[in-house]
Amino acid sequence: MYLYGEFGFALLGLKPCVLVDFRSKDTIQQYANQVIEPVLNSLKGRNLSWMKIENTSTPECDLNDCILVYNINQTELVNEIFLSTNRSKVIPEDTLARLLDYPGKLPSSPEDVRLMKTVIYYHQTVDTKELVAVTTYAMLDYEKEKVISHFKRYQSICETALGMQLRLLIR
């Protein structure tokens, strides 16, 4: 999956945050210096900023040294989680999902694993007709209505703002 979908959704004000993780300190720092900073600095009316995450994890992963690109107009949750203290903290997966605007949940039990589905928003390129995933996340079977509602909101705004026809795949 390309990060441009995640960044595009953040620029449109749909997502409060984008999480960037390459699992390599050197790569993530190069990405920050050579991609994120120049792109954000070139934006007129810049509505995105970024920070390096420190002393934070979720029950599923270590977020240290990841980059969080965030919408400066939606900072309340970012401030509450990342800027409120210097001590180590573990944030719940559902809090991370809220930050990233993912309406689905990760499984929290063996029963949930059987209900898990992958959600993919994608579009077809104009020139090559290639199908390109622009975001993906997990959901549980019973969250389908919430996911479809979320998708329709993204689809409508992407069509209006970008002329992009988003499509949905749940599997």
Side-chain angles (χ1 to χ4, degrees), residues 81-152:
I81 294 168
F82 297 106
L83 304 178
S84 61
T85 179
N86 285 333
R87 67 178 201 277
S88 293
K89 56 195 151 290
V90 177
I91 61 170
E93 290 293 335
D94 64 332
T95 299
L96 182 61
R98 273 194 1 242
L99 276 168
L100 302 176
D101 194 39
Y102 294 148
K105 288 193 255 186
L106 289 175
S108 59
S109 70
E111 295 80 30
D112 281 353
V113 171
R114 291 192 306 273
L115 300 174
M116 190 174 109
K117 303 281 186 198
T118 300
V119 178
I120 302 169
Y121 298 0
Y122 67 98
H123 76 97
Q124 188 172 32
T125 61
V126 175
D127 52 349
T128 66
K129 305 297 182 201
E130 177 185 16
L131 301 179
V132 179
V134 292
T135 194
T136 183
Y137 57 88
M139 67 167 257
L140 302 178
D141 250 349
Y142 58 82
E143 298 175 304
K144 192 170 186 177
E145 278 186 42
K146 183 168 59 169
V147 166
I148 289 172
S149 174
H150 181 269
F151 169 75
K152 285 181 178 179

Side-chain angles (χ1 to χ4, degrees), residues 63-91:
L63 299 176
N64 290 311
D65 298 318
C66 292
I67 290 175
L68 189 73
V69 177
Y70 60 94
N71 188 311
I72 61 174
N73 300 314
Q74 301 178 35
T75 59
E76 186 176 318
L77 192 55
V78 172
N79 290 340
E80 179 184 320
I81 294 168
F82 297 106
L83 304 178
S84 61
T85 179
N86 285 333
R87 67 178 201 277
S88 293
K89 56 195 151 290
V90 177
I91 61 170

Side-chain angles (χ1 to χ4, degrees), residues 20-34 36 50 52 65-67:
V20 180
D21 179 15
F22 292 111
R23 302 299 347 144
S24 159
K25 280 185 177 185
D26 291 339
T27 303
I28 200 80
Q29 192 58 53
Q30 286 180 340
Y31 191 80
N33 295 340
Q34 296 174 11
I36 292 175
W50 72 279
K52 185 174 152 187
D65 298 318
C66 292
I67 290 175

